[in-house]
């Protein structure tokens, strides 16, 4: 097996020059130090979907390896750490052989990677990956319920002054973009993948006014009420009896 082909140029991602240089340096290190062990490098998330903010966003990469032996990981450990600390480049490391068998526990992530992942090296191994609908439904419900449960103590902490509502709401809305998008797809409703479009489409589909959610700095408590209502409606929608069609 030869070195993975160079895919999309990093310049097309529209990243700040400083971040683009750090990403190019990381990819060059992978090419030099991993060689045949490197299968693919994919960019995903806000970097490719839109909404990237240099001050708050990470550059999310999935690095697919043929072999994940400790000795292989040690070759690029310092390069990965430097990219993280200097440019907020975050790497998820996967072994090629585990991807098909892990699709049942990461169905939403793997579907997103197949649909929107941009291959900077190699080919996208998530394209055409089979995702069972039962696994998809369970993961949607799990992510929504986990967010709803954790939100209760977060509201208490915000009320006690330990957290700011504004930052809390922004994080939680970003967290539920993926399960809401999957819920919409599963229900036959089209939406773009960016956060604003998904929130608006989910609110319309579920009958929840989400207009406050993306303006949470103006009225944080009203935005929090809208977030709770959206989560509750989405959970009720996805928590269907066995055998019921979406």
């Amino acid at each position: 097996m030869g070195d993975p082909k160079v895919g999309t140029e990093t310049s097309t991602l529209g990243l700040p020059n400083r971040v683009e240089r750090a990403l190019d340096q990381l990819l060059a290190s992978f090419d030099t130090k991993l060689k045949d062990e490197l299968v693919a490098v994919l960019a995903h998330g806000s970097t490719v979907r839109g909404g990237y903010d240099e001050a708050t966003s990470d550059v999310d990469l999935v690095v697919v390896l043929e072999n994940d032996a400790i000795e292989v990981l040690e070759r690029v450990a310092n390069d990965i750490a430097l990219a993280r600390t200097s440019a907020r480049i975050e790497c998820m490391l996967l072994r090629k052989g585990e991807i098909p068998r892990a699709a049942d526990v990461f169905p939403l992530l793997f579907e997103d990677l197949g649909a929107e992942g941009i291959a900077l090296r190699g080919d996208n191994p998530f394209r055409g990956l089979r995702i069972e609908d039962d696994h998809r439904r369970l993961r949607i419900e799990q992510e929504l319920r986990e967010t709803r449960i954790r939100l209760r103590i977060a509201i208490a902490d915000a009320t006690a002054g330990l957290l700011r509502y504004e930052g809390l709401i922004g994080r939680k809305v970003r967290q539920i973009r993926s399960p809401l998008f999957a819920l919409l797809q599963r229900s036959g409703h089209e939406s773009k993948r960016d956060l604003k479009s998904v929130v608006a489409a989910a609110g319309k589909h579920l009958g929840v006014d989400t207009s406050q959610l993306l303006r949470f700095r103006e009225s944080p408590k009203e935005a929090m009420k809208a977030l709770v209502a959206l989560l509750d409606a989405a959970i009720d929608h996805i928590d269907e009896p066995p055998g019921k069609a979406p």
Side-chain angles (χ1 to χ4, degrees):
M1 182 178 68
D3 294 345
K5 68 181 181 182
V6 175
T8 301
E9 295 291 336
T10 57
S11 58
T12 65
L13 298 176
L15 295 169
N17 290 337
R18 176 185 65 83
V19 178
E20 183 183 323
R21 287 195 299 271
L23 179 55
D24 284 335
Q25 182 178 350
L26 179 62
L27 292 171
S29 296
F30 287 163
D31 292 339
T32 302
K33 298 178 181 181
L34 293 176
K35 299 185 182 298
D36 286 358
E37 302 296 353
L38 182 64
V39 175
V41 180
L42 306 180
H44 68 106
S46 61
T47 305
V48 302
R49 187 188 308 126
Y52 174 84
D53 183 327
E54 184 177 4
T56 60
S57 299
D58 296 328
V59 175
D60 294 312
L61 300 181
V62 170
V63 182
V64 182
L65 303 172
E66 191 71 39
N67 174 14
D68 64 348
I70 291 175
E71 294 78 12
V72 173
L73 302 180
E74 287 176 339
R75 296 179 204 165
V76 291
N78 290 335
D79 304 287
I80 290 173
L82 177 61
R84 180 190 302 120
T85 56
S86 67
R88 298 187 63 159
I89 298 172
E90 294 289 344
C91 296
M92 173 185 286
L93 304 174
L94 295 177
R95 185 166 34 83
K96 179 183 177 182
E98 74 183 330
I99 291 174
R101 297 182 65 183
D104 57 343
V105 289
F106 298 113
L108 306 189
L109 173 62
F110 284 11
E111 277 194 317
D112 275 352
L113 287 168
E116 70 178 17
I118 292 181
L120 304 176
R121 293 292 187 273
D123 295 313
N124 187 334
F126 299 91
R127 292 236 167 96
L129 194 64
R130 181 177 177 179
I131 303 293
E132 298 289 346
D133 188 59
D134 284 347
H135 299 152
R136 181 186 294 110
R137 191 202 71 77
L138 285 171
R139 185 64 180 182
I140 294 170
E141 183 177 354
Q142 186 270 331
E143 291 192 17
L144 292 172
R145 285 194 182 278
E146 182 176 3
T147 300
R148 183 67 178 93
I149 290 168
R150 291 180 181 276
L151 190 60
R152 295 182 183 118
I153 192 64
I155 290 172
D157 286 345
T159 302
L162 301 177
L163 293 173
R164 290 181 60 86
Y165 264 122
E166 296 90 332
L168 170 62
I169 295 167
R171 287 194 302 275
K172 295 301 181 183
V173 172
R174 289 192 295 272
Q175 286 173 9
I176 63 173
R177 185 213 64 85
S178 178
L180 287 179
F181 180 78
L183 182 152
L184 288 167
Q185 279 199 314
R186 191 170 181 271
S187 302
H189 290 264
E190 295 296 326
S191 170
K192 295 180 180 178
R193 290 178 172 269
D194 65 278
L195 181 62
K196 184 176 180 179
S197 297
V198 170
V199 168
K204 182 178 180 181
H205 175 52
L206 298 169
V208 176
D209 181 3
T210 59
S211 59
Q212 292 288 341
L213 270 182
L214 297 179
R215 301 197 306 270
F216 53 82
R217 289 184 176 83
E218 298 174 13
S219 182
K221 285 194 176 181
E222 292 305 311
M224 180 60 76
K225 291 177 182 178
L227 176 57
V228 168
L230 181 61
L231 278 166
D232 286 346
I235 290 167
D236 285 345
H237 183 278
I238 201 65
D239 185 18
E240 60 194 30
K244 181 180 176 182

